[in-house]
Each structure stands twice: as structure tokens, then as C-alpha cells.
Amino acid sequence: MRLRRILPTVVALPALLVISACSGDSDGTDDKKATPTGKSTSSAEAKASAEAKRIGAMDPQALEKATISGKSKGFEFKQVAKAEVEAGRDMKADKAECQPIASLAGGYTHIEAVSTEHRSLEPSSAKNATVGSMWLASHSEKNAKRVMSELRTSLKKCPDGFKTLGLTYKSVKQLNNPDLGDDALSYRITSVVAKQSVPMTYTVVRKGGVVVTFYGVNMLTPKDSAIPEATIKEQLRQLE
């Protein structure tokens, strides 16, 4: 069906930012300017590695190595171009209490991570209508715990949703928390895209200082939109 063909592209970014970005007037000039040189990239990685060592976080190279790529547990994990995810880094909610949720909708934790790895998730089977994405954020363990604590507070204070980057999230509903990692929670937010409601399920897991976020959409059966626990556990195993 046409919807099934479109969704993998749409959810390559968790906040449906592809739609927002495509509506802009950019002529591509900024993209060229933003492309880092090999030297600047190496410098940034060296800086991130030094900061990771200072605070006891997983460094960028180790995080990338621990992040699944390729086919695993019913999904294909595809790397996402850095330019595609950068648009979500500074997503601001119209309500301050909703910011931790809005930041995750943009593909980042509201507390800045040392490094982040993103993957889109496409089902290996045509019978599976759940598509989504995953991202790993490396923090000190103290900050990772803060991310989870402040996200919980945000979920309690923001049940009626929020707006950001021209996108509307009309509801936030907490779900039963899964027994995963060192700490985990699950919730569902509903976005409005072209007057159509799109329920999205998030599962956020802390493993030491790494916060792993899984995001899923299933337009055919919204209650099945969560990324399966077997898939999540496989990624958590990579962090051991």
C-alpha cells in the first residue's frame, strides 16, 4: 500500500522533521557550508573523546561500534546521515515542561550528550507494518540518570501535548514501563500531520551512562507501534 512505502522515509527522523525540512526554501547552499571537512570532524571527535574520558562516558568510537547496523531481530538498522538529524538538535517546545519530550522527538536528549548515534529501523518482513528509529546518547551516568528523571517529570506535566517547529503533538500518554536495562519507560505521543493523527510509541532505556531511545509507528495497528522488546534487548546486549 502507498502508506507503507512512504512511512520508512517519514520516520527516518523521529519528529517527522523530513516533512518540515522539505517545506523550507533552502537552495542547498547552507547544506554545503555545513558539511564538515575531515580535519574539523577529527577535531570534534577528539574533543568528544576527551570529554567522554573526563566524565567517564562511552566515547564516540565505542558508541558507534556498539550500535547495531544491518539486519537484526526483524529489522534493518540503517545509518542516518548526520545532516538529516541535525535539524532536530535544537527543537524547542512551546511549553518548558514539555522540553525533555520535545528533545527526544527531535532525536536528542534534552541534556547534551557527549556523542549520539542514529539508526532508522525498517522491518525485514512485509507482514510487519511497524517502522521507526533508534538513537543512542552517551552521557556520564549521573547525567543519564538526570535525563530519565526529568523525562518522567515531563511526562507527568505534559499530558496535553505541545508544539514545536510547526508540528503539533496533541497528547502524551504514559504506558507500562518495560523491565529493561538499568531504568526504562515507555510512552505514546500523537502527532498531527496533514490533519491525520499519527500515534508514535517511545521506549527509552538507560544502560549505565547510555540512554537508548526507540521510536515506532504503525499506521495499520497503532497499538503495535512499539519496537519489540527482543529488538531492544539485542541492542542493549551490544552495550555490555
Side-chain angles (χ1 to χ4, degrees):
M1 65 184 290
R2 183 171 180 271
L3 176 63
R4 178 67 185 279
R5 292 199 301 271
I6 292 173
L7 273 176
T9 300
V10 172
V11 299
L13 290 179
L16 307 179
L17 290 175
V18 172
I19 295 173
S20 179
C22 289
S23 66
D25 297 325
S26 173
D27 60 2
T29 303
D30 290 342
D31 291 342
K32 293 178 182 178
K33 290 181 180 178
T35 301
T37 63
K39 184 177 179 180
S40 63
T41 299
S42 298
S43 176
E45 289 181 354
K47 183 178 180 181
S49 294
E51 177 63 9
K53 184 177 181 180
R54 186 184 73 81
I55 65 175
M58 183 176 285
D59 65 40
Q61 295 80 12
L63 188 69
E64 181 180 12
K65 186 176 181 180
T67 304
I68 296 175
S69 291
K71 292 184 178 180
S72 180
K73 297 296 181 180
F75 289 88
E76 184 171 3
F77 293 69
K78 294 185 176 182
Q79 288 190 315
V80 182
K82 188 162 289 188
E84 291 184 5
V85 297
E86 281 298 313
R89 184 181 290 277
D90 296 317
M91 282 183 68
K92 299 297 182 185
D94 62 338
K95 303 174 185 176
E97 63 269 25
C98 302
Q99 189 56 51
I101 306 170
S103 292
L104 282 184
Y108 293 90
T109 51
H110 67 288
I111 297 172
E112 186 176 0
V114 172
S115 60
T116 308
E117 283 288 328
H118 292 82
R119 300 289 184 271
S120 64
L121 273 63
E122 297 183 13
S124 302
S125 170
K127 295 181 180 180
N128 182 4
T130 299
V131 294
S133 57
M134 169 191 81
W135 53 103
L136 284 66
S138 175
H139 294 271
S140 66
E141 188 162 349
K142 179 181 178 180
N143 274 356
K145 288 179 178 178
R146 271 189 61 201
V147 168
M148 299 299 289
S149 175
E150 291 174 13
L151 177 59
R152 280 194 167 86
T153 299
S154 185
L155 289 171
K156 292 177 181 178
K157 291 184 175 181
C158 195
D160 298 325
F162 57 95
K163 294 180 180 180
T164 179
L165 289 184
L167 301 172
T168 297
Y169 296 88
K170 66 179 184 179
S171 69
V172 178
K173 180 182 180 181
Q174 290 186 260
L175 305 176
N176 293 331
N177 294 333
D179 184 15
L180 295 166
D182 297 317
D183 188 10
L185 55 85
S186 182
Y187 60 94
R188 184 169 295 142
I189 60 178
T190 301
S191 178
V192 180
V193 181
K195 297 183 179 181
Q196 182 175 10
S197 294
V198 181
M200 304 170 289
T201 300
Y202 285 74
T203 303
V204 187
V205 185
R206 180 181 68 82
K207 181 75 172 178
V210 178
V211 176
V212 190
T213 302
F214 289 83
Y215 150 88
V217 171
N218 187 318
M219 296 297 289
L220 300 181
T221 317
K223 67 181 181 64
D224 295 331
S225 59
I227 300 300
E229 285 197 10
T231 305
I232 297 173
K233 287 179 178 178
E234 183 61 24
Q235 174 55 69
L236 295 177
R237 273 193 285 270
Q238 304 299 315
L239 293 170
E240 295 176 353

